[in-house]
Amino acid sequence: MKGNSGRPVPIIADGVEYSSVGQAATTLGVSNSAVLYRMSSPNFPTFHRKGEVKPTESPSGRGSKAVIVDGVEYSSISQAATALRLSNTVVRQRADDPKNQTYQWKEPQSAVSPTVQKAAESLRRQPKTFEERQIAKPLIEPKPWPFDGGTRRAQVLNPNFDPPRLIRKMGWARCMTCRRYHFSEDVARVRICYHCGGNGGDKLHDG
């Protein structure tokens, strides 16, 4: 995106300034058109040109209605979306869903006491868990260990399933080419060491 002078216009994406749409797209791993769409859409209040203020009122008229998420009150959908790094649409859909007890519209009531507001602010600053942030947990993967003659096979598990799902097994294995031991991240698929042109380990042991 370029201004009247022909120079790229800095943009703000999720609170980070980028010199151009192209730089933001490359850093965020999305296309230029995706960044442009988010800048023009009211559902992405954290994407805009530098110095621009997006309207917080949504077409449905609920943009300024207070919403409570995980016991924390936000004055509007936009504020909740910005704090939780979600789109306005996602926040609205979850608040409208009667089965979702985590997201609720705030009903008109008496003023909240300063003590409650202080507690809410404290909760808002607390680090979010993987479940609360709704992002994937990292794989459970042990670190490589010293040569053991190829006797141990350690499991790599995906904890995003219940129970955790087995992804692969790792351990010391013989290279199919040079027959020396190398540490393989996947003993079933990575069976040739690095020195023989494979994806296996570069530290070899004669066994």
Side-chain angles (χ1 to χ4, degrees):
M1 176 178 291
K2 296 183 178 180
N4 296 332
S5 64
R7 296 179 179 178
V9 177
I11 72 167
I12 305 297
D14 290 335
V16 179
E17 180 178 336
Y18 299 94
S19 60
S20 65
V21 170
Q23 185 189 31
T26 301
T27 303
L28 298 174
V30 298
S31 63
N32 287 13
S33 59
V35 175
L36 291 172
Y37 169 77
R38 296 179 185 183
M39 291 173 62
S40 62
S41 171
N43 294 331
F44 293 88
T46 58
F47 282 72
H48 54 82
R49 287 183 293 181
K50 184 179 181 181
E52 178 187 46
V53 178
K54 275 192 173 181
T56 58
E57 186 69 21
S58 68
S60 63
R62 276 187 165 175
S64 59
K65 186 173 181 179
V67 62
I68 300 175
V69 181
D70 284 331
V72 180
E73 179 183 332
Y74 300 94
S75 62
S76 66
I77 291 178
S78 298
Q79 184 186 35
T82 301
L84 301 172
R85 290 182 173 271
L86 299 171
S87 68
N88 288 15
T89 300
V90 170
V91 175
R92 186 181 302 108
Q93 289 175 343
R94 293 179 180 177
D96 285 336
D97 185 358
K99 296 181 180 180
N100 194 330
Q101 299 300 315
T102 303
Y103 288 71
Q104 296 179 341
W105 297 112
K106 181 188 176 184
E107 299 300 330
Q109 58 184 25
S110 57
V112 180
S113 67
T115 302
V116 175
Q117 290 182 348
K118 186 176 181 180
E121 288 293 331
S122 177
L123 287 173
R124 188 179 306 174
R125 298 191 189 99
Q126 290 180 358
K128 296 289 186 179
T129 64
F130 286 107
E131 291 79 5
E132 291 170 333
R133 295 168 62 188
Q134 296 187 345
I135 62 175
K137 301 176 186 178
L139 295 178
I140 301 175
E141 185 172 2
K143 295 181 179 180
W145 56 88
F147 178 69
D148 60 0
T151 58
R152 178 185 174 188
R153 291 292 180 264
Q155 296 182 341
V156 178
L157 302 175
N158 186 342
N160 297 290
F161 297 90
D162 188 17
R165 181 175 295 179
L166 175 63
I167 302 301
R168 50 187 164 84
K169 294 182 179 181
M170 54 194 298
W172 287 89
R174 283 190 181 275
C175 171
M176 295 181 64
T177 302
C178 68
R179 303 305 298 168
R180 288 181 293 177
Y181 281 96
H182 68 106
F183 193 87
S184 173
E185 300 291 338
D186 187 339
V187 295
R189 298 179 179 86
V190 181
R191 304 175 67 180
I192 299 178
C193 71
Y194 173 82
H195 297 281
C196 292
N199 295 322
D202 58 351
K203 295 182 180 179
L204 304 178
H205 199 285
D206 292 330

